């Protein structure tokens, strides 16, 4: 299996953590690709040029959630995805996915040239993020001794990783201490440390959204 990815993609990060925790790291070849360029190797496997993209034989699978489901089937770990009928777990996953999507939009906007940034989008995403922080702070469980490796939890880990990396919400740990304690339990995992965004892996956006 090959996973086309960029090191700082939060969606690829979720898949990479699921693979590592599921004992699949050796079975998954990581292929780092540039984005938004016509010569990206991912375009040999499909038209979209988006990552993460998992290629296994003639299967070409996009969307991090589906990729995690595929990895789940190859691992003996508890699944990262909830059962289709567990609506409370699905609802929690949709909350965390939506939070990650908003944070991703916000960070993309902030990385555009200053004179191309939309003050309206920046404001909308900041307000969305603050509402989500306040909601999640009220509902987050105590720091788990053994952090569950679920898509929902990893979407939250990945979103907070982006918040830290791009400095989107200064001192959020002081404002949301329960969430900070929860994240610390995940940050102790080698799989989470190994996949954290880094300046060394930073790619300038070659084409803006
Ligand atoms: N819903 C997708 C989101 C994936 C996504 O947004 N990937 C970004 C990188 S983090 C991407 O491929 N961007 C390149 C582009 O939009 O051209 C998933 O869950 O995998």
């Amino acid at each position: 299996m090959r996973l086309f990815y960029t090191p700082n993609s939060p969606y690829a990060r979720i898949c990479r953590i699921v693979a590592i925790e599921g004992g699949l790291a050796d079975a998954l070849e990581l292929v780092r690709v540039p984005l938004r360029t016509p010569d990206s190797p991912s375009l040999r496997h499909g038209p979209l040029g988006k990552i993460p993209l998992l290629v296994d034989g003639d299967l070409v699978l996009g969307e991090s959630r589906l990729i995690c489901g595929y990895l789940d089937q190859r691992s003996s770990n508890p699944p990262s995805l909830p059962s289709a009928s567990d609506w409370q777990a699905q609802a929690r996953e949709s909350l965390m996915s939506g939070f990650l999507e908003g944070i991703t939009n916000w960070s993309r906007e902030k990385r555009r040239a200053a004179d191309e940034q939309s003050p309206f989008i920046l404001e909308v995403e900041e307000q969305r993020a603050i509402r989500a922080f306040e909601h999640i702070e009220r509902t987050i469980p105590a720091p788990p001794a053994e952090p569950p490796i679920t898509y929902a939890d990893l979407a939250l880990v990945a979103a907070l990783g982006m918040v830290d990396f791009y400095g989107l919400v200064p001192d959020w740990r002081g404002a949301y201490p329960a969430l900070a304690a929860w994240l610390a339990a995940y940050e102790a995992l080698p799989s989470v440390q190994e996949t954290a965004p880094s300046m060394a892996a930073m790619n300038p956006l070659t084409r803006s959204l």
Side-chain angles (χ1 to χ4, degrees):
M1 292 183 288
R2 280 178 294 162
L3 184 74
F4 292 81
Y5 83 114
T6 63
N8 286 353
S9 159
Y11 294 99
R13 187 181 189 195
I14 296 171
C15 301
R16 290 162 65 203
I17 296 172
V18 167
I20 295 168
E21 294 293 336
L24 299 169
D26 288 346
L28 191 68
E29 183 191 347
L30 294 177
V31 183
R32 181 176 173 170
V33 293
L35 296 178
R36 300 183 188 161
T37 63
D39 55 348
S40 175
S42 71
L43 290 170
R44 287 183 214 133
H45 299 279
L48 301 180
K50 297 194 72 145
I51 54 94
L53 188 73
L54 184 124
V55 178
D56 191 13
D58 64 359
L59 177 71
V60 178
L61 192 58
E63 290 295 326
S64 54
R65 192 178 190 279
L66 297 179
I67 294 170
C68 288
Y70 191 74
L71 296 172
D72 282 349
Q73 286 196 341
R74 272 143 196 81
S75 153
S76 52
N77 273 8
S80 64
L81 302 183
S83 76
S85 59
D86 186 346
W87 289 108
Q88 289 299 340
Q90 301 272 8
R92 182 168 181 272
E93 189 184 276
S94 72
L95 171 69
M96 301 314 178
S97 294
F99 181 45
L100 173 58
E101 189 182 347
I103 293 295
T104 304
N105 288 343
W106 190 10
S107 78
R108 276 188 191 140
E109 195 62 26
K110 283 198 78 142
R111 278 180 286 157
R112 301 176 72 179
D115 61 349
E116 290 180 6
Q117 293 179 15
S118 158
F120 176 70
I121 290 179
L122 293 173
E123 172 71 13
V124 165
E125 295 303 350
E126 179 169 7
Q127 291 306 316
R128 192 196 321 278
I130 298 307
R131 289 193 306 269
F133 264 109
E134 286 171 0
H135 177 89
I136 295 169
E137 174 71 6
R138 285 194 300 273
T139 52
I140 199 77
E146 284 191 29
I149 303 301
T150 69
Y151 188 93
D153 289 305
L154 298 180
L156 182 54
V157 167
L160 294 172
M162 301 272 286
V163 169
D164 281 337
F165 188 64
Y166 293 107
L168 296 175
V169 185
D171 194 29
W172 69 263
R173 285 178 174 77
Y176 309 109
L179 184 53
W182 177 92
L183 181 63
Y186 279 87
E187 286 177 332
L189 297 176
S191 60
V192 170
Q193 293 168 9
E194 188 179 314
T195 57
S198 75
M199 281 311 287
M202 184 83 174
N203 281 333
L205 282 186
T206 48
R207 314 249 165 119
S208 307
L209 278 178

